[in-house]
Amino acid sequence: MASHSSFERNSAFTHQAKKRFGQNFLNNPDIIERIVRSIAPTSEDNLVEIGPGQGAITAPLLSHCPKLNVIEIDKHLIPILLAQFAKYDHFTIHQVDALKFDFDTLAHEKPLRIVGNLPYNISTPIIFHLLSFQDKIFDMHFMLQKEVVERIAATAGEKSYGRLSVMVQYYCQVENLFGVPPESFTPQPKVDSAIVRLTPFKTLPFVAKDYGIFKKLVNIAFQQRRKTLRNSLKQLLSKDQIDTLPVDTSLRPENITLEEYVNISNLISNSEQ
């Protein structure tokens, strides 16, 4: 799998990047500056950084927003972070796996702005975990494998469009901001990276009556993405019900829009009542 990309410059501290955490430290100051400009942090923000690494992006974030929570799984990075940032009264480290973290505990006063370097091999589970807190999140900026960002941002009819596209876009507006080449990291990953902005909708544009049915429908459709939608829907609806759907069921799943998936799931919900 591709690696986790910590936003990182050269540090006076030495820390060997760990393969098990997928660490690749960003060492390009121009990219770091561009990331911070994209985030545009302010002193009023409730900022959370996932995977601060050795603190290269942590420093400019704190210069704009003196209250910052960081989540770091690698206990060996904690002393490096404390040595640099313990002087900030509202800098808090949570040494924990982000996949198991309850983000509700940080969202008491105002919505969260989340920044991070998601480990590429578990980026999708972390994004789905964060989406379960979407009503507490203002926006998210992530460094991900370029291919994953393309999948998240893809629209119906594009090659990269799939389950991840539909499920993330159900909750969020997606912006593919810019790419980051491998030579911007130490050690260099074998893939290109990209920065993505996810902004949860305040009001969902399309509402599934039963989210569980919607999720099941999308999962089943893309498990057999080379088959027609009609083929996939046989697990959920009768032939007569499929014939009444207001979509072209001879199309493949990647040609069906988010709105159409929501409409189909709502028809299934109605048929089960």
Side-chain angles (χ1 to χ4, degrees):
M1 302 296 291
S3 30
H4 161 93
S5 313
S6 285
F7 302 123
E8 183 52 29
R9 288 179 297 205
N10 293 330
S11 169
F13 298 89
T14 57
H15 176 80
Q16 187 68 39
K18 296 178 182 176
K19 286 187 177 180
R20 71 190 176 101
F21 294 140
Q23 293 170 338
N24 295 81
F25 297 122
L26 185 62
N27 58 20
N28 185 324
D30 293 333
I31 295 291
I32 293 168
E33 183 182 347
R34 193 173 177 189
I35 292 167
V36 175
R37 278 204 315 269
S38 298
I39 298 165
T42 74
S43 60
E44 302 302 311
D45 289 338
N46 187 1
L47 267 182
V48 180
E49 184 183 6
I50 299 174
Q54 294 179 333
I57 202 171
T58 312
L61 288 178
L62 278 167
S63 71
H64 293 283
C65 180
K67 180 182 178 182
L68 177 66
N69 286 278
V70 301
I71 297 169
E72 177 55 63
I73 193 172
D74 186 352
K75 65 181 180 182
H76 295 104
L77 286 169
I78 305 303
I80 296 173
L81 294 166
L82 286 174
Q84 295 179 82
F85 307 119
K87 61 186 178 184
Y88 291 92
D89 292 339
H90 302 292
F91 173 75
T92 307
I93 300 175
H94 307 267
Q95 200 257 302
V96 66
D97 183 349
L99 268 173
K100 300 174 182 176
F101 189 74
D102 181 1
F103 287 87
D104 268 342
T105 60
L106 302 180
H108 296 311
E109 297 175 9
K110 57 182 66 175
L112 303 172
R113 299 197 69 200
I114 299 179
V115 179
N117 49 340
L118 303 191
Y120 293 169
N121 56 343
I122 56 167
S123 60
T124 298
I126 289 181
I127 288 171
F128 279 113
H129 178 58
L130 287 165
L131 289 177
S132 69
F133 303 97
Q134 52 83 28
D135 60 328
K136 305 291 177 61
I137 295 172
F138 179 76
D139 64 9
M140 299 177 272
H141 290 80
F142 295 130
M143 172 91 76
L144 298 170
Q145 185 176 341
K146 181 183 176 184
E147 179 187 320
V148 175
V149 172
E150 288 173 348
R151 285 168 52 204
I152 292 172
T155 55
E158 296 180 350
K159 186 178 179 182
S160 298
Y161 183 73
R163 170 179 171 263
L164 187 60
S165 322
V166 175
M167 301 310 294
V168 174
Q169 290 173 36
Y170 178 81
Y171 283 119
C172 299
Q173 178 185 350
V174 179
E175 297 168 83
N176 183 348
L177 297 182
F178 57 90
V180 182
E183 54 268 25
S184 298
F185 300 90
T186 304
Q188 289 189 23
K190 295 178 181 178
V191 295
D192 286 343
S193 304
I195 303 296
V196 66
R197 177 188 292 133
L198 306 179
T199 307
F201 295 113
K202 290 181 179 174
T203 303
L204 296 178
F206 314 110
V207 181
K209 293 179 180 177
D210 186 321
Y211 182 77
I213 288 175
F214 170 68
K215 182 178 177 182
K216 182 179 179 181
L217 165 67
V218 175
N219 286 347
I220 287 173
F222 285 102
Q223 279 170 7
Q224 306 178 77
R225 61 181 301 139
R226 297 185 66 82
K227 294 186 177 181
T228 65
L229 184 66
R230 172 175 288 274
N231 244 306
S232 302
L233 290 176
K234 287 177 182 177
Q235 299 180 51
L236 299 170
L237 295 169
S238 69
K239 180 182 180 300
D240 289 343
Q241 288 172 319
I242 292 172
D243 288 340
T244 64
L245 292 176
V247 296
D248 184 352
T249 56
S250 68
L251 295 173
R252 288 181 174 179
E254 65 260 31
N255 297 115
I256 306 300
T257 66
L258 165 62
E259 181 179 8
E260 288 171 327
Y261 277 116
V262 172
N263 289 341
I264 294 168
S265 78
N266 288 342
L267 289 167
I268 295 171
S269 299
N270 291 339
S271 72
E272 292 185 356
Q273 288 177 356

